[in-house]
Amino acid sequence: MGDLLPDGKIRSVETLNEFASPSAWAYNCKSVINKIKKAGCGWSSIRYKGKKLDAYKHAYFRKRESSSIEHNIVPVEDIESDVTYAIQNEVLPLTSPVESPVAKEPIKFSEIRSRSSNQNLDTLVECTDWSYINKVQPFHVNISANAKLLLDFHCHLMSSEVVGYLAGNWDFSTQTLTVKNAYPFRSRLHDAELTSLIEEEIRNTFTAKNMVLVGWYHSHPETIATPTLRDIEAQLDYEVQIKGPTVESYIPCVGIICSPYDKDKSTLDSTITCYWVLPSFENEIHDYGRPMNMHFTTKPEKSLSLDIVMALKKCVDFNKYDPDIINFKDKYKNNVTYLEKLKISLMDKFPKDDTIHRFLWNFLSEIVCIGSSGDTAKNNLQNLIAVISSRQLLLSTSSFQTSNPLIEHLESYLQSCNANKLTLEDVPTTSDCSNITSASIASSLFNDLDFSKAMSLIGLSPSRYQTDPLK
């Protein structure tokens, strides 16, 4: 416990020693417990009336930005009410797109002025490489091809900004963050009660798979994949919220920006940028954090899960009546249609299985552009499920050396199947293993799914701040 003195120093209740800053006091307190402790960030570990000093600091700067007086003193009562509003409405950087103009050319971080009320928060800022500040990247980042496939597809659907969560795992021993899944949602959802239910659904979905929240993504539909000042602020707030109370429980948080329709780009694939914000020093708390470029690796997937297939379809179902939905029959650039551009961007994220590759594209092209595949969306889904199920069965039994007539039949089937000729009657029966068929799964997805109650992959809060975001 401590007392805040009129001159800004902190006096320890236990020892009566005075400390010049929150971090100095935090370091002293932590060193009592751990003698070899070398640092202690007071802003994230000291609480006043149950809230961390970080929350008060951000609330103060928001108040100061709204004032034309540079050194306006904000009453404590106003700060506390602002923090309450912030915690309820702004922890997650998942907000509806702001319609203010965005400059196409980014500026260097060194050109940013200190926070002020007239600062354009839509200013693009170049990400800094770690080598520029003579440091190495503090942790490795792996992003699964399935997560990239889903988020890239989601970002292609809309001419306005879309957003979503990232879930995965953090390996403390190897300092590696793995992004396994993406969870798209619609940013214009404003029903607070429904939002809470949806967030709970998503939390349950990835925790059931032993994953944790590791970040968020959003699109810059027609600009480069570089964070704005608004993105930098949101990312830093997010990092503080989910970092954990101790070094051992620390979980990093990354942001991903996907730019699907930057027409100044010479190639047709999307640009995907992963970034992390380096906080400003305590004596520079009036400055913005520095966006750092996080290099990542991606390995091709061997197969595709039905969860990803469902999420891809739900993205389209949820947004198909939105006025900003892309018409994939239209021309994108020169003689290239939006559908052709989508295919080029997604191909390197497809599983490296030619059969799944072919059926997956037929399915996706039909749900975004009816009539483009030469078959119905339902038949394409049945065909895709049949092949995925067959592949999974082959993989699950590949470790057994005994001869299996069913496996031999499936191998023969997969070698001879043709996307234009495959029907449900051609699908090899797996009744010996399961009573669930591709037809029943497809029927469930298309006919029996109550979408309003099964939104575990769509529609999160537009809020940017809350106490415990999807922990």
Side-chain angles (χ1 to χ4, degrees):
M1 301 294 293
D3 289 330
L4 180 62
L5 305 181
D7 61 358
K9 293 181 180 180
I10 298 173
R11 177 187 293 144
S12 170
V13 170
E14 292 82 10
T15 66
L16 300 182
N17 291 332
E18 295 181 4
F19 301 90
S21 69
S23 289
W25 183 44
Y27 165 63
N28 177 264
C29 294
K30 292 177 181 179
S31 65
V32 173
I33 307 300
N34 183 359
K35 297 294 184 182
I36 63 173
K37 188 73 176 177
K38 298 299 183 183
C41 180
W43 295 97
S44 61
S45 58
I46 298 174
R47 296 176 181 269
Y48 173 70
K49 291 188 177 181
K51 302 180 182 68
K52 293 181 179 180
L53 291 188
D54 271 330
Y56 291 96
K57 180 173 67 174
H58 293 314
Y60 168 75
F61 281 119
R62 280 193 295 275
K63 285 287 186 182
R64 197 175 73 169
E65 286 173 12
S66 64
S67 172
S68 59
I69 303 175
E70 179 65 20
H71 298 291
N72 180 45
I73 298 176
V74 184
V76 171
E77 293 80 11
D78 290 346
I79 293 181
E80 290 187 304
S81 63
D82 191 85
V83 171
T84 301
Y85 170 80
I87 288 176
Q88 291 175 347
N89 295 286
E90 296 184 339
V91 160
L92 300 182
L94 307 178
T95 58
S96 299
V98 179
E99 299 300 330
S100 54
V102 178
K104 278 200 167 187
E105 293 300 322
I107 64 174
K108 295 183 180 299
F109 180 76
S110 58
E111 299 176 36
I112 301 176
R113 301 187 305 275
S114 298
R115 289 183 178 88
S116 64
S117 58
N118 60 353
Q119 187 81 273
N120 181 6
L121 295 181
D122 293 301
T123 301
L124 295 167
V125 182
E126 285 185 2
C127 287
T128 304
D129 283 327
W130 290 93
S131 58
Y132 180 81
I133 58 174
N134 296 318
K135 293 183 181 294
V136 295
Q137 186 169 307
F139 56 91
H140 307 289
V141 180
N142 294 329
I143 304 176
S144 75
N146 282 344
K148 288 176 64 178
L149 169 65
L150 184 50
L151 72 87
D152 193 18
F153 179 77
H154 184 208
C155 294
H156 269 88
L157 294 180
M158 307 290 290
S159 61
S160 56
E161 182 177 314
V162 301
V163 283
Y165 280 117
L166 302 170
N169 300 113
W170 165 245
D171 189 331
F172 179 79
S173 61
T174 62
Q175 296 291 289
T176 300
L177 185 73
T178 301
V179 178
K180 291 188 175 181
N181 281 2
Y183 292 87
F185 72 93
R186 190 179 181 184
S187 62
R188 293 191 177 119
L189 188 62
H190 293 289
D191 187 327
E193 183 177 352
L194 184 57
T195 293
S196 178
L197 294 174
I198 295 167
E199 290 179 343
E200 185 65 26
E201 286 274 355
I202 291 186
R203 184 186 298 108
N204 292 338
T205 299
F206 62 67
T207 54
K209 298 179 180 180
N210 296 317
M211 292 188 293
V212 295
L213 189 67
V214 295
W216 65 295
Y217 72 88
H218 70 287
S219 66
H220 285 183
E222 297 181 352
T223 58
I224 63 176
T226 298
T228 62
L229 288 177
R230 192 187 311 277
D231 297 333
I232 292 170
E233 290 285 82
Q235 172 64 22
L236 186 55
D237 287 335
Y238 211 1
E239 290 173 12
V240 171
Q241 289 297 320
I242 72 172
K243 66 184 181 62
T246 66
V247 173
E248 291 74 17
S249 63
Y250 171 76
I251 298 177
C253 165
V254 294
I256 290 179
I257 300 175
C258 177
S259 174
Y261 298 122
D262 178 11
K263 293 187 178 181
D264 292 332
K265 187 178 180 180
S266 58
T267 59
L268 295 176
D269 57 319
S270 297
T271 301
I272 295 177
T273 298
C274 182
Y275 70 104
W276 187 77
V277 173
L278 188 65
S280 57
F281 293 106
E282 186 168 304
N283 60 347
E284 299 173 346
I285 58 175
H286 57 286
D287 293 338
Y288 288 96
R290 181 188 288 267
M292 305 300 298
N293 188 30
M294 300 297 291
H295 297 282
F296 61 89
T297 58
T298 300
K299 293 183 179 179
E301 302 285 353
K302 294 181 179 179
S303 186
L304 192 69
S305 70
L306 293 181
D307 287 344
I308 298 296
V309 175
M310 291 174 65
L312 291 165
K313 183 180 183 301
K314 285 183 180 181
C315 278
V316 177
D317 288 346
F318 195 84
N319 293 289
K320 62 184 177 182
Y321 298 116
D322 194 294
D324 292 335
I325 190 80
I326 294 291
N327 184 347
F328 285 89
K329 294 180 181 179
D330 289 349
K331 295 292 184 182
Y332 165 65
K333 190 176 179 182
N334 300 326
N335 291 322
V336 179
T337 65
Y338 279 90
L339 184 64
E340 292 168 334
K341 187 254 182 277
L342 175 67
K343 183 176 184 179
I344 291 172
S345 185
L346 296 184
M347 280 300 165
D348 66 334
K349 305 168 184 71
F350 278 16
K352 298 305 179 183
D353 183 309
D354 291 340
T355 307
I356 292 180
H357 204 284
R358 185 167 67 252
F359 288 128
L360 177 57
W361 175 246
N362 285 347
F363 167 66
L364 293 180
S365 65
E366 187 63 29
I367 61 176
V368 300
C369 188
I370 297 175
S372 60
S373 70
D375 203 346
T376 67
K378 186 172 181 178
N379 282 345
N380 284 330
L381 178 60
Q382 292 173 348
N383 297 341
L384 178 60
I385 292 173
V387 175
I388 291 175
S389 300
S390 301
R391 278 301 189 212
Q392 289 176 344
L393 184 59
L394 285 171
L395 291 173
S396 65
T397 57
S398 60
S399 59
F400 296 97
Q401 302 300 319
T402 57
S403 176
N404 189 324
L406 176 59
I407 300 305
E408 293 175 359
H409 177 58
L410 286 174
E411 290 175 339
S412 175
Y413 159 74
L414 289 171
Q415 292 172 0
S416 63
C417 67
N418 184 288
N420 296 320
K421 296 180 181 180
L422 179 67
T423 65
L424 286 181
E425 287 72 22
D426 298 321
V427 177
T429 177
T430 58
S431 57
D432 293 339
C433 302
S434 174
N435 292 325
I436 301 177
T437 65
S438 60
S440 64
I441 297 175
S443 176
S444 174
L445 289 177
F446 270 86
N447 303 322
D448 302 332
L449 184 62
D450 186 348
F451 188 72
S452 65
K453 295 180 181 178
M455 301 170 66
S456 62
L457 301 179
I458 302 292
L460 286 188
S461 169
S463 305
R464 287 180 58 192
Y465 292 91
Q466 66 184 30
T467 305
D468 296 307
L470 291 184
K471 286 187 179 178

